[in-house]
Structures are given as C-alpha cells and as structure tokens.
Amino acid sequence: MATKKNKIDIEFNQNEDAMKLAVSQLNRTLDKIHLGGGKKKIEKQKAKGKMTARERIGNLIDKDSDFLEVGAFAGYEMYKEYGGCPAGGVVVGIGYVAGRQCVIVANDATVKAGAWFPITGKKNLRAQEIAIENRLPIIYLVDSAGVFLPMQDEIFPDKEHFGRIFRNNAVLSSMGVPQIAAIMGSCVAGGAYLPIMSDEALIVDGTGSIFLAGPYLVKAAIGETVDKETLGGAKTQCDISGVTDYNMPDDKTCLETIRDLVDKMGTFENAGFDRKEAKPPIKDPKEIYGIFPETSVKPYDSIEILERLVDDSKLTEYKKGYGQSIICAYARIDGWAVGIVANNRNIVKTAKGEMQFGGVIYSDSADKATRFILNCNQKKIPLVFLHDVTGFMVGKRSEHGGIIKDGAKMVNAVSNSTVPKFTIVMGNSYGAGNYAMCGKAYDPRLIVGWPTAKIAVMGGSQAAKVLLQIQVASLKRKGETIDPATEKKMFDEIKDRYDRQTKAYYAASRLWIDAIIDPLETRKVISMGIEAANNAPVAKFNPGVIQT
C-alpha cells in the first residue's frame, strides 16, 4: 500500500517530468523560430555580405550579457496562407549595449524581405511602448521591404497600425529618449520615416538604401530611370542629401559605431527603487518543476513556489490569516525590493470556519490585495503579480457579500497603480481574475507566461458546457432534439477549439504576453524589468497615458 510520502514523491516526479517536457518543447519551437525564413534565406542574406537579424543583435550587445527577447512567438501559426511570419519578421528585446540597457528592434529580412505584417506593426509598437514607459534608448536595425501589401488594410490606416510608429518616434524625441537607426538593407516608402525620425541614422554602403519610392515606382510615376544606389544608397544619402549621418562600410563597423554612440550617452534621473546585494533562494528553484502540478485543477502550496523565486527564500506576508486565497508579501528578487500578489492554490479554512477554494478570488482576498497595492504605491515598491486564477467567486453568498464591489476596488487599484507592475502567468488566468491580477490590459511593464499558462474568459470545459447549453436550448425552441452521442461530439468540438485558444502559444502569438519562459528564468525577467523601470521616475499619472 502506497504511503502518503510515496504518493507525494510520485506526484512530484510526474509534475517534474511534465514541466521538463513542456520546457523542452518550448526550446525546440524557439530554435525553429530563430531560423526566421529558413536556412536557404539565411545563406542568401550572408551571400550579400549581410548578417542575420539575430547575428546583428549578438554583435551589438555586450559579450556574455543577457538579452531579454520580447515577442519571439509573435505570429506563431498565423498567416499560413502566406507561408507564415516567424517572430513577426522582427526581433525585439532589451539588451545591454556599452553597459546600458537599450530596446533593440531588428528587422528579419529572411522573412518576406522584412515586410510588415499586422503582427509586425503590433510588435514594433510594443517595443516603442517599452522604451517610452522605461525611458530606454531604442536602436532600430532596419532591413525591410515595407508594408506587406496583400494585408495593407490591416496594417496601414488605423490608430494602432503602421503610422503610429512614426508618431511614437516623435514622442520619444520629445521625451529626450535617444533613438539610433541603422539602415542595413532596404528601407522604402513610409518605412523610410522611421530611421530619419530617429536622432541619428547610419547606413551601410552597398547593402543599405533608403528612399520614398524605389526605382520601379519612380519609373512608373515620372518616367525616370535610376538605379538603387544612385537613388538612395549610402553615398547619395550621406554626401548629397545629408539624410543619413554615418556612412558605414559593413555591418560589423556599423554595429561597433552604434556601441560607440551609446557609450557617450548621459543618464536620466532614476526612480529610486530599493536594491541590495542579490542572494539566491535557499530553496532550490529547480524544485518548481515538481511542485507546480501537471494538471491545472490540482491544488498546491503557492508559498512553496514563491520561496523558490525570492532572495533567501524569505517572504514577509501581509495579512497572512485574512483573505487567504491571495498571498500578498514583501520580498526581494535579485536584490530588488518587490511587493508580490499571488493566487493561493491551496484550499484553506478561514477563521470563520468556511472553506475557500484555491485560485478563486473572494471578497476578503480582493480587499486585502487592494490595500497591499496601495501600500506598495505609497512606499514606491514595484509590484509582481503571479497568476493561477480561475476568477472571482460566484453564487448567492458572494453576490450578497458584494463581490462585484470588492472586485471593482481591486481592479481600480491595479488600474491606477503608478509603480511598475510585472506579471507572470504561471497557470490559469481566467475571466476578471486576469484583469484584477494585472493582465495585459492593465499596463504591466512586462507580462510573461510559463509554458503552463492558460488565458481565457474561462476554462475549456466550462466554456464548452455554457456554449453547448445555449446551442441545445436554441434547437429545443425550434422543436428539434439531439441524441447524447451528437451532444458529446458538439461538446468535444467546442472544448478542443477553446482549449487551443487558451494555451500560452496562442496568447504569445498575438502578443497578449511578451514571452513564454522557462520557470527558472522568472527571476531574471523580473530583475531586468525592474532595472529597466528604474530608468523612469515614478509619475503621478494614469499608466498607459504617454507624456509628451
């Protein structure tokens, strides 16, 4: 007969195996995405004397430094009718250049010649948003054929489309945030404004070119015959028009010059977030693999996860015995002081003798979290939200107790928080729980998910049951009936479709989250995020409103 300890060990091993498989799948998928348009396209680019987008970033950032990639899964399994768009055709992230954090945006010319799909525009805007919020210098490595014409109606005219990029160029300049652009390939039509609206522009001789209309369009429009280099090559734009500032002989020299330019930049006033010497967790972070359950319905001790993420495994819990379905605690992560708001997945018994289900937000939990968020704002402590939430508690007792009112207070506190917020979606992130725990709509500086993350209005089974009930009721009103086998088939079809839409990969492909990460990278992501946020003083304004 299995003992309780043996059962725990078996569950730990099962959980560990499942997470290792998920992380392995994540890494294999990333390896494929990193190939961009494929090996043949990479070879073709190198034959022109050009580095790939990722090689350019590798040569730009400091040796052996971290690069926090944003949006690697953008466009994943989208645009299949056009052959796909790996990473949205652009590589984006936060890296260290001459010792300074910068946002880097590098077009991947192996993907449809670096053309802009709708997701490309969204990803570029996200990069600029990160630069604006954190006052980080932004470096554009331009190599793009411009808007992907078959989808121009989804990328050109709207507020969050292509033109917003240039508007943000102007906003960044007005804020005094440095922008450097390197024209390392094609730069044509409206896309030509991006590097020239930056503060300084470099161009690589022989491969870089910039013009409003290429040779073919010039011929069609005014009948003039002109070659690419004469029209907008490095010599033309540096020596004749003065459009660009530096004529570079090759990619390597161009990237070295950018490093020299960044090296001379001054710094801004920082936010003053508290940091002390970093200490690793006493409890082994690798044990997260075994603690976090293989299935999203199993309870677990969330404190055990937190103790493997924070320095010294030390937490100072706020209102520990009250509102226990949410854990609020002060801690340090890589030396940075943080306020943690995490869903407690244990089933707990309250002081009143009532049972509370793990992962559900109750009125007392919302009240506690609201007060804690306000305290962190008063003390200028960055907030870290860790999701594994199924939503707010429903039912007669909760409604009579004012769950909507208490939930609204928590959402209000999250919305108006002025300290930077960072969100880690570990497991479930359903319904209004996603909002209250600082989902994408609530301006987290960074939002990432573990491979186990699930984001949706509700879980697949619950959604399928609701939708099936609606369909069955509709058929009954028409005098029709369905047999149990047909009903099960309908349920399975709805559930399968919904389950696909809840997965981390689906969310990341649409940039609902910035990245899918190995749980062991959680500390690094939070630390680099706070370091970035420390570049911008805490402002007394509503997050998301750009100050000019």
Side-chain angles (χ1 to χ4, degrees), residues 176-254:
V177 177
Q179 298 176 84
I180 297 173
I183 302 156
M184 309 181 82
S186 295
C187 186
V188 63
Y193 287 105
L194 184 148
I196 308 311
M197 291 190 72
S198 299
D199 302 302
E200 292 182 282
L202 305 86
I203 185 168
V204 178
D205 191 20
T207 56
S209 59
I210 178 169
F211 31 63
L212 289 181
Y216 294 119
L217 184 53
V218 169
K219 178 69 173 177
I222 63 173
E224 182 180 55
T225 301
V226 62
D227 65 84
K228 190 175 179 180
E229 279 298 309
T230 303
L231 185 64
K235 186 169 180 61
T236 294
Q237 300 295 22
C238 280
D239 299 348
I240 299 173
S241 70
V243 165
T244 51
D245 307 305
Y246 305 91
N247 187 339
M248 299 284 102
D250 51 42
D251 280 11
K252 188 174 184 295
T253 307
C254 182

Side-chain angles (χ1 to χ4, degrees), residues 69-76 78 87-88 90 92 118-127 129-130 440-441 444 447 455 504-515:
E69 185 167 355
V70 171
F73 284 93
Y76 179 68
M78 295 168 65
V90 61
V92 167
I119 198 67
T120 316
K122 187 173 183 179
K123 187 170 174 179
N124 275 266
L125 289 169
R126 177 65 179 135
E129 181 181 44
I130 291 170
K440 182 63 183 289
I447 175 170
I455 301 173
Y505 292 92
Y506 192 90
S509 70
R510 288 151 181 82
L511 291 174
W512 300 347
I513 55 177
D514 292 318

